[in-house]
Amino acid sequence: MKINIGIDEEQRKAIAHGLSVLLADTYTLYLKTHNYHWNVTGPMFQTLHTLFETQYNELALAVDEIAERIRALGEFAPGSYKEYAKLTNLKEADGIPAAEEMIKDLVKGQEAIAKTARSIVPVADGASDEVTLDLLTQRMTVHEKNAWMLRSLIA
């Protein structure tokens, strides 16, 4: 059935593509954060283990919201490692870094996702897609705050 939500097909496809990149970035950061949660060691273990768990749980909820928005726009959401690898702006970690390097890597990931979300704003705004704009604002808020919290752990 044809979609008639006040956003034309070309705009919906462009927004959905941007959201697909955001989804890939978010899922990649989710995997990285979960990995670091499992493998962090050192004197800050308990603090980082708990913080990473909080952040990966939030990311897990976010991927669902982003994917469902893509579907509401009439496009299929990417859902495989292969697709995510093509779309993401984030790099996977090599091995298990030291705790401080984990923190720095996660800051970069949080900031990258904030930038990805921000890059979609003009497209969504041009289509008067307030629903996507709201989602993007929420994602930028979370990622900018998470980056700040992680940065504050580094002396």
Side-chain angles (χ1 to χ4, degrees), residues 23-145:
L23 178 61
D25 283 357
T26 303
Y27 198 84
T28 302
L29 186 60
Y30 163 80
L31 288 173
K32 186 181 288 196
T33 305
H34 211 155
N35 175 33
Y36 290 171
H37 164 79
W38 290 326
N39 292 302
V40 67
T41 59
M44 292 179 52
F45 168 79
Q46 187 60 45
T47 299
L48 294 178
H49 184 75
T50 301
L51 178 61
F52 295 167
E53 182 175 14
T54 299
Q55 291 184 357
Y56 79 69
N57 281 327
E58 194 283 328
L59 290 162
L61 295 173
V63 294
D64 196 52
E65 290 178 31
I66 297 164
E68 288 179 358
R69 183 63 191 150
I70 294 167
R71 294 297 295 130
L73 291 167
E75 298 298 317
F76 288 104
S80 70
Y81 294 126
K82 184 177 181 179
E83 289 175 292
Y84 292 151
K86 288 180 194 175
L87 291 167
T88 189
N89 296 304
L90 279 63
K91 293 182 180 164
E92 291 192 48
D94 292 325
I96 305 299
E100 188 168 319
E101 293 307 308
M102 289 178 178
I103 295 167
K104 290 177 182 177
D105 191 28
L106 293 178
V107 167
K108 289 178 188 172
Q110 295 284 349
E111 291 175 340
I113 294 176
K115 288 190 272 188
T116 297
R118 189 166 275 108
S119 74
I120 305 164
V121 168
V123 181
D125 191 40
S128 298
D129 182 358
E130 288 84 2
V131 176
T132 298
L133 288 168
D134 182 55
L135 173 65
L136 296 171
T137 300
Q138 290 175 40
R139 298 313 314 149
M140 288 184 287
T141 300
V142 168
H143 293 293
E144 290 175 10
K145 183 176 181 179

